[in-house]
Amino acid sequence: MTPAALAEFYAGYTQAFMRQDSDALVAAWSFPATISGPRGNAVFDAPAFRRNVEALFGFYDRQGVAAVTANVAALTVLGDDVVLSQTDYAMLGSDGARIADWQTPYLLRATADGLRAFCAVADSEVAAWAARGTPMGSR
């Protein structure tokens, strides 16, 4: 697993997000998948993950997100086929102005089908949206 492979994974992941391509995003994960947040963990099978992704698309659209950047900021190899990555995200409006940004840690595993995410920590994203007073960050 190389930084180039991770960059390719995230480039594809970001492009899929921008196309609002649920199929490609689901394909980037292995299941069960865990999203950990400040109020607990959510474990998803593929259909539930798809519903979550589609709900996020609607949320981001309502926030005026027109473009996304994702940059791998750190990479720690945890085993032969497992890596912890830190990804910096920025959500941009149609005018290019930054709407929100955060860093998300992901656990990925190399599989016969390529890299697949299996866990993400969403605390920073929840905090970023809460700072804007949005529903994702509300309690």
Side-chain angles (χ1 to χ4, degrees):
M1 191 170 334
T2 65
L6 279 168
E8 183 179 329
F9 173 87
Y10 285 110
Y13 196 85
T14 303
Q15 291 166 5
F17 174 81
M18 288 310 301
R19 293 189 312 270
Q20 294 194 352
D21 184 343
S22 300
D23 292 334
L25 291 176
V26 170
W29 285 76
S30 62
F31 298 96
T34 302
I35 307 294
S36 181
R39 292 181 289 274
N41 298 329
V43 178
F44 298 93
D45 61 11
F49 190 85
R50 177 183 307 282
R51 287 190 299 275
N52 185 65
V53 165
E54 291 171 354
L56 282 172
F57 289 156
F59 174 79
Y60 294 146
D61 288 348
R62 290 188 301 278
Q63 304 313 309
V65 173
V68 177
T69 64
N71 297 300
V72 178
L75 166 64
T76 303
V77 176
L78 301 177
D80 289 342
D81 294 324
V82 180
V83 67
L84 169 65
S85 68
Q86 301 284 339
T87 302
D88 293 332
Y89 285 100
M91 300 290 176
L92 309 172
S94 59
D95 61 357
R98 189 171 297 242
I99 295 171
D101 56 15
W102 62 84
Q103 189 174 77
T104 300
Y106 288 93
L107 285 168
L108 296 109
R109 179 172 295 280
T111 72
D113 297 322
L115 290 173
R116 296 293 183 265
F118 63 92
C119 182
V121 179
D123 293 44
S124 294
E125 180 177 8
V126 171
W129 291 115
R132 287 180 47 88
T134 61
M136 180 184 275
S138 65
R139 293 192 186 261

